[in-house]
Amino acid sequence: MMCGFLGLISSDEINIDKLEESNKFNICRGPDSKATISNKTNQLYHTLDNLNYSFIFNRLSIIDLSQNAMQPMASNEHGTMILFNGEIYNHRDLRKKLESKNIMFKTSHSDTELLLLGLSEFGLSFLNEIVGQFAIAFINFKLKKLILIRDRIGQKPLFYSLGKSKILFSSNLKSILKYEDKKRIDIKAINNYLNFGVIPSPQTLYENIFKLEPGSYLEIDLSKDSIVPKVEKYWDPKRFLNDNKFEKEIYFELFHNSVSDRLESDVPVASFLSGGIDSTSIIKSLHDHGHKQINTFSVVNKEEKYDESKWINKVVQNYETNHISTELNGDFDNGDILESINTFDEPYADPSTVPSYLLNKLISEKYKVAISGDGGDELMGGYRRLSKVLKRKRYGISEGLYKLYPSYFGTGNKILSQSKNLSSAYGSFLEDQKLMKLLKLKDFDKFDDRFFYEAENERKTMLLSDYLFFLPEMMMLKVDRTSMANSVEVRSPFVDHRLIEYILGSSDLDFNSDNSKKIMKEYLSPDFGEEFINRPKQGFVFNLEGWVYNNLNLINEVIDEGSVVKNLNNNAISKLTINKTRINGLRIWKLFFLEYYLLNID
């Protein structure tokens, strides 16, 4: 059940009208129905002593469409209640296990009830059993405990703010901002955004407002006089590093099961189709396992440099999919650009959000659920940066040359990526310390301090960094915000934790940095020629630099009206336009996104 929820537990009176107004930012996540429960309006549930509570749930009905599966859902027998955003793909198998232990269900096949009863009976150890994406608020009235839980890879968001005797939590940061009277911007969070292009968890843009980290739970003892959170990791990719023999049969069994699991739905399911290896492999898996009605969607950029329509059409023809596409003709309407920014509840600088938003908007006209190929590059080491770093020159002078490189020229990545030092080389693709120098900023987190963990070899170290930073903090945020803004649930088979654990635990002997997706390419080779299989990777991009340099008047107006960039370096934009490259276009976009976001946060 995909949704958005908002909850408040407080020793003070709760302003229900204000909470309802704050909930408006969650409605796109669950437009089908809404329910509100508080200690004053519902007498069925246990109390929390002297604490008041109010929970609002917005439902996007996907599994078990009945009213019985509505949330908040409670078990009076256990004295527990749950608010759950996500899907549990193996809920039917787990339900059988629970029923074999004489645990009784009231719904026919609700994954929400499965979670409620599983957590009530077995506690947090039940998390190890579930396969899915989820953000959960679980309240145990008998034990006077609140537990917030986020899925392993951070597919679903969960924000919270704390007071001495209150906790406010939500699926959307803007809902918390709307309710909180006092909020102050965290300057270091802005700096981290400018370095990474995102604000990594647990930080948000605001002091005392946090996002729960992926693979973590937060527990609060509500019987205490003050709110003291305890945060623990229940899943960490570092724990699965090993050098076991890789077996294709096991891998493909996991892959096909992962694809099949994500078809679990009581409404029709669509599929993203980019024409690349990852989305094509998913379509082939569906086709080869007897799914005759495959509904595919694409956004096609008709600029020759970015046009993938030739490859998309080959996939459609090979597997006879029911295909719908929309064309981008290079010049984005500024309304689409600004609308896509407004879907985000926190600053985020990856411009692929624009075509992603438009693709989900297209899908939403007919479907609530779509399967995507996100996570395939992280799983197989498919990003070009990984092979570039593995084949780097390892110059000892890279750091010295990097220091001399002018900040307004670019990130200095081409120099630093040749460094002997792996964290410097790989981090040069994922942060922009040269921009920080241009903006005269010193207080910010660095990639090697936050996201670099040395594994048994360089390839595995970079894979792990992608699972610690790039996938959960960057890609999953983009997928969630652009889809849920259009009331679409996206499911990503390559993000299945079982696949991730298997790859991280496998030897590198079957993986070639010059042909990172060899395994998936071999899988596709019976159906496609060499030209399709081994063409260069194309990201989900558009001519961003063209839009930026053609809209400098709009950008400068926003920057001038804003309060961040001009106070750091009011010549930053003009400096960055001296060298009109794509990199500098991305940097200007990053600054523009931040200022436009701050000006329109309400």
Side-chain angles (χ1 to χ4, degrees):
M1 181 182 294
M2 203 52 61
C3 72
F5 57 75
L6 175 62
L8 175 59
I9 299 173
S10 176
S11 61
D12 297 326
E13 286 291 317
I14 294 174
N15 186 332
I16 299 297
D17 292 337
K18 189 176 181 182
L19 202 67
E20 289 281 357
E21 178 66 16
S22 301
N23 181 62
K24 69 181 182 181
F25 297 105
N26 281 317
I27 292 174
C28 63
R29 291 180 172 272
D32 292 340
S33 58
K34 187 186 77 163
T36 302
I37 287 180
S38 74
N39 56 298
K40 293 189 176 180
T41 61
N42 200 306
Q43 303 302 315
L44 291 177
Y45 309 133
H46 299 260
T47 64
L48 291 173
D49 294 332
N50 297 320
L51 293 174
N52 297 302
Y53 65 83
S54 184
F55 308 123
I56 304 176
F57 183 83
N58 309 271
R59 184 182 188 188
L60 183 65
S61 303
I62 292 172
I63 291 178
D64 194 339
L65 310 184
S66 71
Q67 187 63 29
N68 286 342
M70 185 58 185
Q71 300 181 47
M73 184 182 289
S75 168
N76 289 318
E77 177 187 353
H78 297 94
T80 55
M81 184 161 59
I82 195 169
L83 294 94
F84 159 53
N85 169 20
E87 303 291 352
I88 305 303
Y89 305 123
N90 62 336
H91 68 97
R92 294 182 189 271
D93 290 338
L94 290 177
R95 184 188 184 102
K96 291 176 183 176
K97 286 186 179 180
L98 267 62
E99 287 176 333
S100 70
K101 299 178 184 295
N102 297 317
I103 297 172
M104 304 297 293
F105 287 77
K106 295 178 181 177
T107 64
S108 62
H109 61 289
S110 166
D111 57 346
T112 303
E113 189 177 22
L114 180 279
L115 270 180
L116 173 65
L117 297 181
L119 289 170
S120 297
E121 289 278 349
F122 306 109
L124 291 168
S125 64
F126 190 66
L127 296 175
N128 298 322
E129 301 291 319
I130 62 179
V131 178
Q133 53 178 321
F134 47 88
I136 300 167
F138 180 75
I139 304 98
N140 191 317
F141 290 95
K142 289 183 177 179
L143 299 179
K144 304 291 188 290
K145 283 188 178 180
L146 167 70
I147 303 174
L148 303 181
I149 310 164
R150 194 170 177 209
D151 65 55
R152 298 170 178 91
I153 307 297
Q155 295 176 81
K156 293 291 105 185
L158 188 46
F159 298 91
Y160 64 95
S161 68
L162 300 169
K164 183 179 179 182
S165 55
K166 78 163 188 180
I167 178 167
L168 178 65
F169 55 89
S170 178
S171 302
N172 193 295
L173 174 62
K174 288 182 179 179
S175 291
I176 293 180
L177 293 175
K178 188 72 175 177
Y179 193 86
E180 294 285 22
D181 293 322
K182 296 179 181 179
K183 42 191 177 278
R184 288 179 19 179
I185 286 180
D186 184 335
I187 300 302
K188 187 173 181 180
I190 285 185
N191 297 352
N192 282 340
Y193 163 77
L194 293 170
N195 187 34
F196 294 118
V198 70
I199 301 171
S201 58
Q203 261 187 327
T204 70
L205 191 61
Y206 299 88
E207 294 179 358
N208 203 40
I209 302 177
F210 308 95
K211 36 180 187 282
L212 189 60
E213 293 182 82
S216 298
Y217 67 85
L218 177 151
E219 185 174 316
I220 292 175
D221 187 341
L222 298 170
S223 67
K224 304 290 186 183
D225 292 334
S226 59
I227 299 292
V228 179
K230 181 182 77 172
V231 178
E232 299 282 351
K233 292 280 285 184
Y234 68 87
W235 189 87
D236 188 334
K238 297 192 291 290
R239 298 172 189 163
F240 302 99
L241 291 170
N242 214 320
D243 197 32
N244 297 320
K245 185 179 186 300
F246 176 82
E247 298 184 38
K248 288 183 184 179
E249 295 79 9
I250 295 176
Y251 169 79
F252 276 107
E253 181 181 3
L254 289 169
F255 170 66
H256 294 310
N257 286 342
S258 181
V259 174
S260 177
D261 286 348
R262 280 152 183 81
L263 296 175
E264 174 62 24
S265 175
D266 291 335
V267 298
V269 177
S271 293
F272 288 18
L273 176 56
S274 68
I277 298 299
D278 301 327
S279 64
T280 303
S281 296
I282 291 170
I283 303 302
K284 175 177 170 59
S285 179
L286 292 171
H287 177 271
D288 290 356
H289 287 82
H291 299 283
K292 303 300 182 186
Q293 185 71 16
I294 304 173
N295 307 298
T296 54
F297 286 79
S298 302
V299 168
V300 175
N301 192 328
K302 295 308 290 182
E303 284 190 83
E304 184 176 353
K305 181 179 178 181
Y306 305 109
D307 188 4
E308 295 278 272
S309 58
K310 173 182 176 180
W311 314 114
I312 290 169
N313 290 337
K314 283 184 178 292
V315 179
V316 170
Q317 291 163 11
N318 273 14
Y319 303 126
E320 299 180 329
T321 74
N322 175 28
H323 188 67
I324 296 176
S325 67
T326 186
E327 289 186 359
L328 307 177
N329 295 310
D331 295 326
F332 274 97
D333 181 270
N334 282 352
D336 288 335
I337 295 281
L338 301 181
E339 185 180 340
S340 72
I341 293 176
N342 283 331
T343 66
F344 282 79
D345 53 356
E346 50 187 326
Y348 180 73
D350 183 344
S352 66
T353 54
V354 181
S356 295
Y357 174 76
L358 295 175
L359 177 57
N360 280 289
K361 191 174 184 179
L362 176 67
I363 291 173
S364 71
E365 295 174 6
K366 294 188 175 183
Y367 295 90
K368 293 181 180 181
V369 182
I371 297 177
S372 84
D374 293 289
D377 284 307
E378 288 81 2
L379 193 72
M380 290 288 161
Y383 292 115
R384 282 194 289 266
R385 61 178 180 258
L386 190 141
S387 59
K388 285 182 178 179
V389 170
L390 287 175
K391 294 186 288 185
R392 70 194 188 280
K393 302 297 184 184
R394 301 173 193 266
Y395 293 136
I397 60 171
S398 290
E399 271 80 1
L401 291 174
Y402 173 75
K403 288 179 181 178
L404 297 173
Y405 187 79
S407 299
Y408 59 87
F409 271 25
T411 64
N413 160 259
K414 289 184 178 179
I415 297 171
L416 201 56
S417 64
Q418 302 304 314
S419 171
K420 285 182 179 180
N421 186 292
L422 177 60
S423 64
S424 296
Y426 201 58
S428 71
F429 290 90
L430 299 169
E431 64 180 342
D432 190 352
Q433 293 193 38
K434 284 294 178 182
L435 178 62
M436 309 308 283
K437 184 176 180 181
L438 179 67
L439 297 173
K440 302 175 183 176
L441 295 171
K442 295 182 179 179
D443 183 22
F444 59 93
D445 291 331
K446 298 177 178 63
F447 173 79
D448 58 352
D449 293 333
R450 286 287 308 273
F451 306 111
F452 186 79
Y453 180 89
E454 199 160 352
E456 64 265 24
N457 59 53
E458 289 194 340
R459 180 184 174 277
K460 198 70 74 72
T461 296
M462 289 185 283
L463 281 187
L464 188 59
S465 289
D466 280 348
Y467 282 116
L468 293 173
F469 170 64
F470 193 73
L471 183 65
E473 302 292 353
M474 295 286 289
M475 300 307 291
M476 293 296 92
L477 187 150
K478 178 190 76 172
V479 171
D480 174 78
R481 304 307 193 275
T482 56
S483 60
M484 294 310 297
N486 292 289
S487 305
V488 173
E489 175 195 322
V490 172
R491 301 170 170 185
S492 306
F494 289 110
V495 181
D496 192 300
H497 72 279
R498 297 166 298 183
L499 273 171
I500 295 168
E501 290 170 10
Y502 187 72
I503 291 296
L504 288 177
S506 296
S507 166
D508 275 0
L509 293 177
D510 283 274
F511 297 92
N512 185 336
S513 61
D514 292 321
N515 192 4
S516 60
K517 294 187 178 179
K518 179 183 176 184
I519 295 163
M520 301 312 296
K521 289 176 180 179
E522 289 175 351
Y523 174 60
L524 293 175
S525 61
D527 300 346
F528 298 95
E530 184 77 11
E531 186 185 19
F532 181 98
I533 296 292
N534 288 314
R535 74 186 195 273
K537 175 179 170 55
Q538 173 70 276
F540 196 28
V541 294
F542 70 102
N543 185 8
L544 173 74
E545 61 270 36
W547 183 87
V548 165
Y549 297 125
N550 288 329
N551 288 274
L552 284 174
N553 287 339
L554 168 64
I555 290 169
N556 280 314
E557 284 175 12
V558 170
I559 297 294
D560 288 342
E561 191 178 348
S563 60
V564 176
V565 179
K566 64 186 179 184
N567 289 332
L568 297 174
N569 183 345
N570 58 7
N571 293 319
I573 300 298
S574 59
K575 282 260 189 183
L576 292 172
T577 55
I578 292 173
N579 189 24
K580 288 185 170 65
T581 60
R582 180 169 178 83
I583 289 297
N584 277 345
L586 284 165
R587 295 162 116 189
I588 293 170
W589 169 264
K590 184 189 289 187
L591 297 169
F592 169 71
F593 195 117
L594 175 65
E595 293 286 28
Y596 187 82
Y597 167 89
L598 289 171
L599 289 170
N600 295 274
I601 188 61
D602 291 331

